Amino acid sequence: MTAVYLDYQGKFPPNGYRYIVEVSKKDANGVDRSPVELRIVAWSILLNGLGVTPADVLIRQEIEKTRFEKIMKEQIFRCTDGAIYKVIQEPTA
């Protein structure tokens, strides 16, 4: 799956945890999603997986796949449009 990785940190339970949302670049019909559509799908995944809203989010940025692959994480939610990973540890340097 070709995906975009969005880094979220928020006030949502449990406090202080950081999550990465993986969003498929293509919709169910195989059409490429615009940057706006990717953000909307990410919010939907967060809402369905964690019950959070945009007001609960403190940081939101895209990260590169190579950085995503190096982060120690735990998948906590998966759906057809993507997944949510809880960041356990990010390597230094």
Side-chain angles (χ1 to χ4, degrees), residues 20-38:
I20 296 174
V21 179
E22 174 186 49
V23 181
S24 172
K25 285 187 177 182
K26 296 189 181 287
D27 66 18
N29 297 325
V31 177
D32 286 335
R33 290 182 167 132
S34 71
V36 171
E37 290 171 320
L38 290 169

Side-chain angles (χ1 to χ4, degrees), residues 47-65:
L47 182 61
N48 290 321
L50 298 174
V52 299
T53 65
D56 296 321
V57 174
L58 298 174
I59 296 171
R60 167 180 89 198
Q61 63 185 2
E62 186 174 339
I63 63 171
E64 295 180 10
K65 183 177 182 174

Side-chain angles (χ1 to χ4, degrees), residues 7-12 16-17 43 53-60:
D7 191 351
Y8 289 87
Q9 182 175 345
K11 300 176 272 186
F12 46 90
Y17 280 110
W43 289 123
T53 65
D56 296 321
V57 174
L58 298 174
I59 296 171
R60 167 180 89 198

Side-chain angles (χ1 to χ4, degrees), residues 63-79:
I63 63 171
E64 295 180 10
K65 183 177 182 174
T66 54
R67 181 173 165 203
F68 171 77
E69 291 170 346
K70 293 177 183 174
I71 295 172
M72 189 190 310
K73 58 204 167 284
E74 174 186 0
Q75 182 178 306
I76 59 170
F77 179 78
R78 175 154 294 282
C79 64

